Amino acid sequence: MDQKLEFARFPAPDGVNGWWESLPPAAAVRQAVSGKQYDWVVIGGGITGLCAARRLAELAPDASIALLEADRIGRSTAGRNSGFFVDLPHDISSESYSRSVEEDQADVRFQRHGIDYVRSLVQQHGIACDWRDDGKFHAAVSRKGEAALQHFADGLERIGEGFEWLDEAAIGRVTGSGFYHRAIFTPGCSTVQPAALMRGLATSMPANVQVFEMSPVRDISSQPDGHVLRLDGGQIRARRIILCTNAYAASFGLQHNGLLPVYTFASLTRVMTPQEVQQLGGQSSWALIPADPMGTTVRRLSTDRICVRNHFVFRPGVSVSAADLARAKRLHQRSFDRRFPMLPAVELQYTWGGALCLSANNGVLFGKRENNIYQAIGCNGLGLSRGSTSGKLIAEFALGQDSSLLRQVQEIPLPRPLPPRPLMDIAVSTAIWAKEKAAGPEL
């Protein structure tokens, strides 16, 4: 009997993605055509799927490969984050930034592998995505935040990573704001315009990769000679499949697989006027992460916009409501006003949400699932850096390669099982609420 894997959740609008809207209009949509057959189909056009498809093409240049995205590439989740390629330990699901020396060093190697891979593609293909290797700042407002920075610094010293302390005046010269009391600068983080990066990676694919958008896969039937993927307009066939669906993983909500779709939200201002730029002062581009993981992330962009990111909600249906977005915008405006009182007339032009794929134990779904179906699912808050590495590695794994990084990712446990709903909803939502409340002034 045929086995069927059904997909129940797909990208939703979830606000207006400012990264996407601030780009020039995208090229016309190319949808998958029924009746075609491919050696490989990659499902999911985020950073993981884009890297998986490209790595397949690099290693198997004679294979026919299709990449299927349910929305527009760059408009959905991978193009909705804050654009940080974080290289250092930054575990937003734990109480601290650092664990054991060995685990943290392994994390650094894993994340930098993906950053290096994507950077090389950006340089090779001239992808215009405002890629910057300028590092990031971790900044504190409260005594609790400063204690967290000290803990972070201690962890960096233990693993041999360099950093620089900044006092209130020094971080003020960077941001133009007097809001922050102390900060740490780490040089290894890269930043990017995420929607532009996703578009660029998709349009620069090798010739044996066909990229299809607005092509949701409704279900997969596994048959002795391959797989049949049902689309809205028909079906296609594939010998082998790689799932890179992250928070939209097919089995979530049907068979609890330990994945937690947690939304966070961002807003992007309009372009500041030259007078407002002068009033703000500071550097023309910088990226800042809060000392408390539940606090407010801020980026000033070279386009004279400011991006503000905070607020988390648990949404197992992988979509948010108008009320969620309205609350997020109010919180963003409050956070913006606290940091930039010299900019009272600068409006938040866009507000949107995006899903993180977390698990209680930082577990992932990686490897062979069944019947020549492979999966790389679970970013645990570091979607760009971990997603790019995971995408590259799942292609190598599926083609039978071996490496120390592959062995490392295969040692990561599966996501921890979750309690049944509604107990799970109550527990996760309560934990998020408590952590946000504890963040206090770091919001």
Side-chain angles (χ1 to χ4, degrees), residues 276-416:
E276 289 165 340
V277 169
Q278 185 176 9
Q279 288 172 335
L280 173 59
Q283 297 178 3
S284 61
S285 175
W286 47 266
L288 185 148
I289 287 177
D292 189 299
M294 304 300 282
T296 300
T297 295
V298 185
R299 282 185 64 190
R300 180 176 172 187
L301 311 177
S302 61
T303 54
D304 291 330
R305 295 179 186 264
I306 294 175
C307 180
V308 177
R309 198 275 315 149
N310 65 35
H311 188 43
F312 296 84
V313 295
F314 176 52
R315 292 293 179 265
V318 201
S319 66
V320 294
S321 66
D324 287 327
L325 291 162
R327 173 170 170 73
K329 186 173 183 177
R330 289 195 300 270
L331 291 171
H332 295 164
Q333 188 66 63
R334 183 182 70 176
S335 298
F336 183 88
D337 292 344
R338 287 174 173 175
R339 288 157 176 79
F340 307 110
M342 75 293 290
L343 301 174
V346 176
E347 304 94 357
L348 301 179
Q349 185 174 3
Y350 306 106
T351 298
W352 66 95
L356 305 174
C357 188
L358 306 182
S359 63
N361 61 338
N362 288 313
V364 299
L365 301 176
F366 183 94
K368 190 171 184 178
R369 181 183 178 117
E370 58 190 354
N371 300 330
N372 285 323
I373 297 179
Y374 302 84
Q375 60 187 358
I377 294 168
C379 65
N380 285 298
L382 292 178
L384 288 180
S385 50
R386 295 193 70 82
S388 52
T389 303
S390 297
K392 179 176 181 289
L393 291 180
I394 194 61
E396 295 172 0
F397 175 86
L399 289 170
Q401 294 202 347
D402 183 36
S403 68
S404 59
L405 279 176
L406 266 173
R407 291 190 292 273
Q408 176 182 331
V409 71
Q410 290 177 83
E411 292 175 358
I412 299 175
L414 294 172
R416 181 185 303 159

Side-chain angles (χ1 to χ4, degrees), residues 25-40:
V29 171
R30 184 185 181 200
Q31 293 179 282
V33 177
S34 181
K36 299 293 185 178
Q37 182 165 335
Y38 301 92
D39 296 318
W40 292 90

Side-chain angles (χ1 to χ4, degrees), residues 78-158:
R80 289 172 170 264
N81 58 70
S82 298
F84 286 74
F85 274 87
V86 176
D87 62 327
L88 297 172
H90 181 58
D91 178 7
I92 69 171
S93 66
S94 76
E95 295 295 332
S96 66
Y97 283 102
S98 183
R99 296 166 293 167
S100 73
V101 171
E102 293 75 16
E103 287 176 304
D104 284 348
Q105 289 176 335
D107 271 354
V108 172
R109 288 192 299 270
F110 194 88
Q111 279 124 221
R112 285 181 178 164
H113 185 78
I115 297 171
D116 292 343
Y117 182 59
V118 178
R119 182 193 295 109
S120 70
L121 298 174
V122 169
Q123 294 172 346
Q124 177 184 349
H125 298 285
I127 297 173
C129 60
D130 196 27
W131 182 284
R132 292 175 179 267
D133 292 315
D134 293 342
K136 70 181 186 309
F137 299 89
H138 289 248
V141 180
S142 63
R143 290 184 179 179
K144 179 182 176 183
E146 291 187 31
L149 288 186
Q150 186 61 61
H151 177 83
F152 185 38
D154 293 343
L156 294 178
E157 287 182 341
R158 285 197 301 271

